[in-house]
Amino acid sequence: MTLRLWLEDVAREAGGLALEMAGRVRTERKGSSIVSEADRAVERLIVDRIRAEYPDDYILAEESGADPDGAADPGGGTYLGGEARWWAVDPIDGTLPYLSGLPFWGVSVACLRGSRPEGAAVALPGMGEMYSALAGGPSFRNGEPIPPVPPEPPGDHSALFVPCGDFEGLEIRFPGKRLSLAAVSLHFLYTAAGASFGAVSEPTRAYDIAASALILESAAGAVRYISGKEVDYAELADGRRTPEPVVAAQPDQVEWLCGQVKWSGD
């Protein structure tokens, strides 16, 4: 089984568990956000699958954080500029939609080598969809290759995915319509599928975007910081947020979109 299909298998199994638990778990507070036992159970399943197949690899997961059982602590510099394999896991991206009975949530698993993702799968169980990719190859939606992201410039009725909440210091100018599904991975996936012009994310974490970013890039899209720099995921391997907002669009349009975003946050 190829890495891509193995990742799909893991995401599919984890998504099935999330569906089984939907409607039967209660909301819990987690700082300014929310979580549930489903998030933790799905994460345990994914981490156990990875650990069984790749016992010595480092894992960064949303609920458990930087895995103490991993081979090394990236805070010590192991991954900075290196080629070690590691994993970024978001068990339920879109916990609010999930707990609200909406289908706009996903199970995201990324395999990375040092600074870059090399394999990704995101299952959208509520909609029966699966996205996946390997670096250097095409991206797939339900087993079919995704066509290249269209290059058209934005218009009055173009859609841009934006954060679901207000973030101090973040200003976005866009001539079209703004959408939010409270799950940044879906924002990137729907950009890959050509359903939106692009997406802007507030400063976020590797497990939120690594898988969907690879899928978008494999569909001839681009993911950049608003400064224009590429995202170095090794710098985020300890769970820290990106230092600035992230934009995603067709490569000919991503520079323009970067220029439409202002960030004065810390």
Side-chain angles (χ1 to χ4, degrees), residues 2-60:
T2 66
L3 175 61
R4 183 180 69 82
L5 294 179
W6 184 83
L7 285 164
E8 283 192 1
D9 187 59
V10 172
R12 186 177 295 109
E13 182 181 357
L17 176 60
L19 280 178
E20 289 177 14
M21 301 182 72
R24 300 191 291 112
V25 292
R26 62 184 179 86
T27 302
E28 304 171 27
R29 298 293 301 180
K30 179 187 174 184
S32 60
S33 62
I34 57 175
V35 70
S36 75
E37 176 55 32
D39 295 79
R40 292 187 288 270
V42 171
E43 181 172 295
R44 285 194 296 270
L45 186 156
I46 297 170
V47 170
D48 286 349
R49 286 289 306 271
I50 295 171
R51 189 65 66 220
E53 193 77 14
Y54 304 95
D56 297 324
D57 285 6
Y58 174 84
I59 302 172
L60 172 68

Side-chain angles (χ1 to χ4, degrees), residues 28-190:
E28 304 171 27
R29 298 293 301 180
K30 179 187 174 184
S32 60
S33 62
I34 57 175
V35 70
S36 75
E37 176 55 32
D39 295 79
R40 292 187 288 270
V42 171
E43 181 172 295
R44 285 194 296 270
L45 186 156
I46 297 170
V47 170
D48 286 349
R49 286 289 306 271
I50 295 171
R51 189 65 66 220
E53 193 77 14
Y54 304 95
D56 297 324
D57 285 6
Y58 174 84
I59 302 172
L60 172 68
E62 181 178 23
E63 303 308 326
S64 55
D67 187 352
D69 295 327
D73 177 4
T78 299
Y79 296 103
L80 300 181
E83 289 300 320
R85 183 180 55 221
W86 60 285
W87 304 79
V89 175
D90 194 343
I92 299 179
D93 184 21
T95 299
L96 177 58
Y98 173 78
L99 293 172
S100 301
L102 297 170
F104 306 117
W105 53 276
V107 176
S108 179
V109 187
C111 176
L112 301 97
R113 287 277 183 181
S115 298
R116 299 294 302 162
E118 70 170 14
V122 183
L124 308 184
M127 292 177 282
E129 291 192 323
M130 175 68 71
Y131 291 77
S132 63
L134 290 181
S139 56
F140 293 85
R141 181 183 189 183
N142 297 332
E144 296 294 328
I146 299 175
V149 177
E152 287 79 8
D156 293 345
H157 298 285
S158 299
L160 178 72
F161 282 109
V162 298
C164 63
D166 293 329
F167 288 85
E168 185 175 354
L170 180 61
E171 178 184 340
I172 303 169
R173 299 188 303 274
F174 188 70
K177 309 300 181 183
R178 302 176 186 220
L179 303 174
S180 182
L181 300 176
V184 67
S185 62
L186 272 69
H187 294 177
F188 283 22
L189 294 179
Y190 287 145

